PDB file of all heavy atoms in Angstrom:
ATOM      1  N   LEU A 113      77.366 -25.089 -30.390  1.00 87.00           N
ATOM      2  CA  LEU A 113      77.370 -26.528 -30.168  1.00 87.00           C
ATOM      3  C   LEU A 113      76.484 -27.251 -31.170  1.00 87.00           C
ATOM      4  O   LEU A 113      76.789 -28.369 -31.592  1.00 87.00           O
ATOM      5  CB  LEU A 113      76.877 -26.854 -28.738  1.00 87.00           C
ATOM      6  CG  LEU A 113      77.930 -26.545 -27.639  1.00 87.00           C
ATOM      7  CD1 LEU A 113      77.338 -26.854 -26.268  1.00 87.00           C
ATOM      8  CD2 LEU A 113      79.203 -27.327 -27.860  1.00 87.00           C
ATOM      9  N   ASP A 114      75.357 -26.616 -31.605  1.00 91.00           N
ATOM     10  CA  ASP A 114      74.504 -27.276 -32.588  1.00 91.00           C
ATOM     11  C   ASP A 114      75.025 -27.106 -34.016  1.00 91.00           C
ATOM     12  O   ASP A 114      74.377 -27.475 -34.965  1.00 91.00           O
ATOM     13  CB  ASP A 114      73.082 -26.740 -32.446  1.00 91.00           C
ATOM     14  CG  ASP A 114      72.967 -25.270 -32.880  1.00 91.00           C
ATOM     15  OD1 ASP A 114      73.994 -24.677 -33.300  1.00 91.00           O
ATOM     16  OD2 ASP A 114      71.843 -24.680 -32.819  1.00 91.00           O
ATOM     17  N   GLY A 115      76.178 -26.487 -34.167  1.00 87.00           N
ATOM     18  CA  GLY A 115      76.759 -26.388 -35.477  1.00 87.00           C
ATOM     19  C   GLY A 115      76.456 -25.114 -36.248  1.00 87.00           C
ATOM     20  O   GLY A 115      77.096 -24.854 -37.253  1.00 87.00           O
ATOM     21  N   THR A 116      75.518 -24.255 -35.707  1.00 94.00           N
ATOM     22  CA  THR A 116      75.250 -23.009 -36.430  1.00 94.00           C
ATOM     23  C   THR A 116      76.493 -22.123 -36.330  1.00 94.00           C
ATOM     24  O   THR A 116      77.117 -22.002 -35.277  1.00 94.00           O
ATOM     25  CB  THR A 116      74.086 -22.213 -35.843  1.00 94.00           C
ATOM     26  OG1 THR A 116      73.857 -22.652 -34.538  1.00 94.00           O
ATOM     27  CG2 THR A 116      72.846 -22.334 -36.699  1.00 94.00           C
ATOM     28  N   GLN A 117      76.779 -21.462 -37.493  1.00 96.00           N
ATOM     29  CA  GLN A 117      77.958 -20.646 -37.543  1.00 96.00           C
ATOM     30  C   GLN A 117      77.694 -19.209 -37.107  1.00 96.00           C
ATOM     31  O   GLN A 117      76.723 -18.618 -37.459  1.00 96.00           O
ATOM     32  CB  GLN A 117      78.514 -20.599 -38.967  1.00 96.00           C
ATOM     33  CG  GLN A 117      79.107 -21.897 -39.475  1.00 96.00           C
ATOM     34  CD  GLN A 117      79.544 -21.709 -40.916  1.00 96.00           C
ATOM     35  OE1 GLN A 117      78.762 -21.502 -41.810  1.00 96.00           O
ATOM     36  NE2 GLN A 117      80.836 -21.774 -41.120  1.00 96.00           N
ATOM     37  N   ASP A 118      78.638 -18.700 -36.291  1.00 97.00           N
ATOM     38  CA  ASP A 118      78.647 -17.252 -36.038  1.00 97.00           C
ATOM     39  C   ASP A 118      78.984 -16.508 -37.365  1.00 97.00           C
ATOM     40  O   ASP A 118      79.708 -17.076 -38.185  1.00 97.00           O
ATOM     41  CB  ASP A 118      79.665 -16.916 -34.967  1.00 97.00           C
ATOM     42  CG  ASP A 118      79.346 -17.523 -33.640  1.00 97.00           C
ATOM     43  OD1 ASP A 118      78.140 -17.726 -33.350  1.00 97.00           O
ATOM     44  OD2 ASP A 118      80.255 -17.769 -32.850  1.00 97.00           O
ATOM     45  N   GLU A 119      78.513 -15.303 -37.451  1.00 98.00           N
ATOM     46  CA  GLU A 119      78.826 -14.534 -38.692  1.00 98.00           C
ATOM     47  C   GLU A 119      79.775 -13.379 -38.355  1.00 98.00           C
ATOM     48  O   GLU A 119      79.668 -12.714 -37.333  1.00 98.00           O
ATOM     49  CB  GLU A 119      77.515 -13.995 -39.273  1.00 98.00           C
ATOM     50  CG  GLU A 119      76.645 -15.100 -39.827  1.00 98.00           C
ATOM     51  CD  GLU A 119      75.251 -14.621 -40.299  1.00 98.00           C
ATOM     52  OE1 GLU A 119      74.967 -13.449 -40.169  1.00 98.00           O
ATOM     53  OE2 GLU A 119      74.492 -15.504 -40.766  1.00 98.00           O
ATOM     54  N   VAL A 120      80.732 -13.214 -39.274  1.00 98.00           N
ATOM     55  CA  VAL A 120      81.742 -12.119 -39.171  1.00 98.00           C
ATOM     56  C   VAL A 120      81.570 -11.269 -40.479  1.00 98.00           C
ATOM     57  O   VAL A 120      81.777 -11.821 -41.517  1.00 98.00           O
ATOM     58  CB  VAL A 120      83.131 -12.604 -38.983  1.00 98.00           C
ATOM     59  CG1 VAL A 120      84.097 -11.429 -38.915  1.00 98.00           C
ATOM     60  CG2 VAL A 120      83.279 -13.482 -37.745  1.00 98.00           C
ATOM     61  N   ILE A 121      81.190 -10.016 -40.273  1.00 98.00           N
ATOM     62  CA  ILE A 121      80.979  -9.156 -41.442  1.00 98.00           C
ATOM     63  C   ILE A 121      82.256  -8.326 -41.672  1.00 98.00           C
ATOM     64  O   ILE A 121      82.838  -7.813 -40.761  1.00 98.00           O
ATOM     65  CB  ILE A 121      79.802  -8.204 -41.149  1.00 98.00           C
ATOM     66  CG1 ILE A 121      78.518  -8.954 -40.957  1.00 98.00           C
ATOM     67  CG2 ILE A 121      79.652  -7.134 -42.294  1.00 98.00           C
ATOM     68  CD1 ILE A 121      77.339  -8.084 -40.447  1.00 98.00           C
ATOM     69  N   TYR A 122      82.628  -8.229 -42.921  1.00 98.00           N
ATOM     70  CA  TYR A 122      83.706  -7.287 -43.298  1.00 98.00           C
ATOM     71  C   TYR A 122      83.574  -6.931 -44.771  1.00 98.00           C
ATOM     72  O   TYR A 122      82.872  -7.565 -45.524  1.00 98.00           O
ATOM     73  CB  TYR A 122      85.094  -7.901 -43.024  1.00 98.00           C
ATOM     74  CG  TYR A 122      85.365  -9.285 -43.591  1.00 98.00           C
ATOM     75  CD1 TYR A 122      85.880  -9.417 -44.887  1.00 98.00           C
ATOM     76  CD2 TYR A 122      85.063 -10.451 -42.886  1.00 98.00           C
ATOM     77  CE1 TYR A 122      86.151 -10.676 -45.399  1.00 98.00           C
ATOM     78  CE2 TYR A 122      85.325 -11.683 -43.390  1.00 98.00           C
ATOM     79  CZ  TYR A 122      85.852 -11.830 -44.677  1.00 98.00           C
ATOM     80  OH  TYR A 122      86.097 -13.053 -45.177  1.00 98.00           O
ATOM     81  N   ALA A 123      84.239  -5.826 -45.140  1.00 98.00           N
ATOM     82  CA  ALA A 123      84.168  -5.353 -46.493  1.00 98.00           C
ATOM     83  C   ALA A 123      85.009  -6.261 -47.378  1.00 98.00           C
ATOM     84  O   ALA A 123      85.952  -6.950 -46.919  1.00 98.00           O
ATOM     85  CB  ALA A 123      84.736  -3.921 -46.551  1.00 98.00           C
ATOM     86  N   TRP A 124      84.634  -6.311 -48.686  1.00 98.00           N
ATOM     87  CA  TRP A 124      85.485  -7.055 -49.600  1.00 98.00           C
ATOM     88  C   TRP A 124      85.534  -6.315 -50.938  1.00 98.00           C
ATOM     89  O   TRP A 124      84.520  -5.853 -51.401  1.00 98.00           O
ATOM     90  CB  TRP A 124      84.901  -8.446 -49.777  1.00 98.00           C
ATOM     91  CG  TRP A 124      85.948  -9.361 -50.337  1.00 98.00           C
ATOM     92  CD1 TRP A 124      85.998  -9.940 -51.555  1.00 98.00           C
ATOM     93  CD2 TRP A 124      87.152  -9.826 -49.656  1.00 98.00           C
ATOM     94  NE1 TRP A 124      87.108 -10.718 -51.677  1.00 98.00           N
ATOM     95  CE2 TRP A 124      87.852 -10.660 -50.541  1.00 98.00           C
ATOM     96  CE3 TRP A 124      87.684  -9.597 -48.377  1.00 98.00           C
ATOM     97  CZ2 TRP A 124      89.029 -11.274 -50.218  1.00 98.00           C
ATOM     98  CZ3 TRP A 124      88.864 -10.198 -48.059  1.00 98.00           C
ATOM     99  CH2 TRP A 124      89.565 -11.070 -48.957  1.00 98.00           C
ATOM    100  N   ARG A 125      86.710  -6.134 -51.504  1.00 97.00           N
ATOM    101  CA  ARG A 125      87.947  -6.732 -51.064  1.00 97.00           C
ATOM    102  C   ARG A 125      88.543  -5.945 -49.887  1.00 97.00           C
ATOM    103  O   ARG A 125      88.556  -4.734 -49.873  1.00 97.00           O
ATOM    104  CB  ARG A 125      88.930  -6.750 -52.281  1.00 97.00           C
ATOM    105  CG  ARG A 125      90.327  -7.296 -51.931  1.00 97.00           C
ATOM    106  CD  ARG A 125      91.090  -7.595 -53.137  1.00 97.00           C
ATOM    107  NE  ARG A 125      90.652  -8.793 -53.782  1.00 97.00           N
ATOM    108  CZ  ARG A 125      91.003 -10.049 -53.422  1.00 97.00           C
ATOM    109  NH1 ARG A 125      91.777 -10.240 -52.383  1.00 97.00           N
ATOM    110  NH2 ARG A 125      90.538 -11.075 -54.077  1.00 97.00           N
ATOM    111  N   SER A 126      89.146  -6.726 -48.933  1.00 98.00           N
ATOM    112  CA  SER A 126      89.857  -6.150 -47.826  1.00 98.00           C
ATOM    113  C   SER A 126      91.048  -7.069 -47.539  1.00 98.00           C
ATOM    114  O   SER A 126      91.488  -7.784 -48.397  1.00 98.00           O
ATOM    115  CB  SER A 126      88.931  -5.937 -46.658  1.00 98.00           C
ATOM    116  OG  SER A 126      89.544  -5.143 -45.675  1.00 98.00           O
ATOM    117  N   PHE A 127      91.508  -6.965 -46.323  1.00 98.00           N
ATOM    118  CA  PHE A 127      92.743  -7.713 -45.975  1.00 98.00           C
ATOM    119  C   PHE A 127      92.557  -9.207 -46.176  1.00 98.00           C
ATOM    120  O   PHE A 127      91.609  -9.817 -45.585  1.00 98.00           O
ATOM    121  CB  PHE A 127      93.113  -7.403 -44.516  1.00 98.00           C
ATOM    122  CG  PHE A 127      94.467  -7.874 -44.054  1.00 98.00           C
ATOM    123  CD1 PHE A 127      95.499  -8.020 -44.954  1.00 98.00           C
ATOM    124  CD2 PHE A 127      94.682  -8.140 -42.725  1.00 98.00           C
ATOM    125  CE1 PHE A 127      96.774  -8.453 -44.508  1.00 98.00           C
ATOM    126  CE2 PHE A 127      95.915  -8.539 -42.268  1.00 98.00           C
ATOM    127  CZ  PHE A 127      96.963  -8.744 -43.157  1.00 98.00           C
ATOM    128  N   GLU A 128      93.484  -9.786 -46.896  1.00 96.00           N
ATOM    129  CA  GLU A 128      93.375 -11.214 -47.256  1.00 96.00           C
ATOM    130  C   GLU A 128      93.329 -12.187 -46.125  1.00 96.00           C
ATOM    131  O   GLU A 128      92.854 -13.312 -46.274  1.00 96.00           O
ATOM    132  CB  GLU A 128      94.648 -11.586 -48.018  1.00 96.00           C
ATOM    133  CG  GLU A 128      94.708 -11.223 -49.407  1.00 96.00           C
ATOM    134  CD  GLU A 128      95.925 -11.914 -49.998  1.00 96.00           C
ATOM    135  OE1 GLU A 128      97.021 -11.358 -49.809  1.00 96.00           O
ATOM    136  OE2 GLU A 128      95.733 -12.974 -50.576  1.00 96.00           O
ATOM    137  N   ALA A 129      93.873 -11.801 -45.003  1.00 96.00           N
ATOM    138  CA  ALA A 129      93.954 -12.732 -43.870  1.00 96.00           C
ATOM    139  C   ALA A 129      92.555 -12.895 -43.229  1.00 96.00           C
ATOM    140  O   ALA A 129      92.298 -13.921 -42.605  1.00 96.00           O
ATOM    141  CB  ALA A 129      94.888 -12.181 -42.809  1.00 96.00           C
ATOM    142  N   TYR A 130      91.606 -11.974 -43.439  1.00 98.00           N
ATOM    143  CA  TYR A 130      90.309 -12.060 -42.750  1.00 98.00           C
ATOM    144  C   TYR A 130      89.585 -13.377 -43.088  1.00 98.00           C
ATOM    145  O   TYR A 130      89.190 -14.079 -42.129  1.00 98.00           O
ATOM    146  CB  TYR A 130      89.417 -10.864 -43.099  1.00 98.00           C
ATOM    147  CG  TYR A 130      89.914  -9.494 -42.640  1.00 98.00           C
ATOM    148  CD1 TYR A 130      89.416  -8.343 -43.220  1.00 98.00           C
ATOM    149  CD2 TYR A 130      90.842  -9.364 -41.589  1.00 98.00           C
ATOM    150  CE1 TYR A 130      89.810  -7.100 -42.821  1.00 98.00           C
ATOM    151  CE2 TYR A 130      91.248  -8.090 -41.195  1.00 98.00           C
ATOM    152  CZ  TYR A 130      90.754  -6.948 -41.806  1.00 98.00           C
ATOM    153  OH  TYR A 130      91.142  -5.771 -41.413  1.00 98.00           O
ATOM    154  N   PRO A 131      89.362 -13.692 -44.350  1.00 97.00           N
ATOM    155  CA  PRO A 131      88.607 -14.921 -44.581  1.00 97.00           C
ATOM    156  C   PRO A 131      89.279 -16.191 -44.065  1.00 97.00           C
ATOM    157  O   PRO A 131      88.567 -17.132 -43.668  1.00 97.00           O
ATOM    158  CB  PRO A 131      88.486 -14.999 -46.134  1.00 97.00           C
ATOM    159  CG  PRO A 131      89.415 -13.996 -46.665  1.00 97.00           C
ATOM    160  CD  PRO A 131      89.679 -12.989 -45.596  1.00 97.00           C
ATOM    161  N   ILE A 132      90.585 -16.208 -43.991  1.00 96.00           N
ATOM    162  CA  ILE A 132      91.295 -17.367 -43.559  1.00 96.00           C
ATOM    163  C   ILE A 132      91.099 -17.563 -42.028  1.00 96.00           C
ATOM    164  O   ILE A 132      90.692 -18.622 -41.548  1.00 96.00           O
ATOM    165  CB  ILE A 132      92.815 -17.304 -43.890  1.00 96.00           C
ATOM    166  CG1 ILE A 132      92.939 -17.163 -45.404  1.00 96.00           C
ATOM    167  CG2 ILE A 132      93.502 -18.533 -43.362  1.00 96.00           C
ATOM    168  CD1 ILE A 132      94.385 -16.852 -45.838  1.00 96.00           C
ATOM    169  N   LEU A 133      91.295 -16.460 -41.300  1.00 97.00           N
ATOM    170  CA  LEU A 133      91.139 -16.495 -39.843  1.00 97.00           C
ATOM    171  C   LEU A 133      89.730 -16.858 -39.455  1.00 97.00           C
ATOM    172  O   LEU A 133      89.501 -17.684 -38.582  1.00 97.00           O
ATOM    173  CB  LEU A 133      91.553 -15.165 -39.156  1.00 97.00           C
ATOM    174  CG  LEU A 133      93.017 -14.748 -39.275  1.00 97.00           C
ATOM    175  CD1 LEU A 133      93.257 -13.499 -38.433  1.00 97.00           C
ATOM    176  CD2 LEU A 133      93.955 -15.850 -38.771  1.00 97.00           C
TER     177      LEU A 133
END
Side-chain angles (χ1 to χ4, degrees):
L113 285 179
D114 67 1
T116 21
Q117 289 179 294
D118 295 331
E119 293 174 359
V120 179
I121 298 172
Y122 52 89
W124 200 249
R125 178 166 286 279
S126 190
F127 190 28
E128 278 191 280
Y130 295 161
I132 302 170
L133 294 185

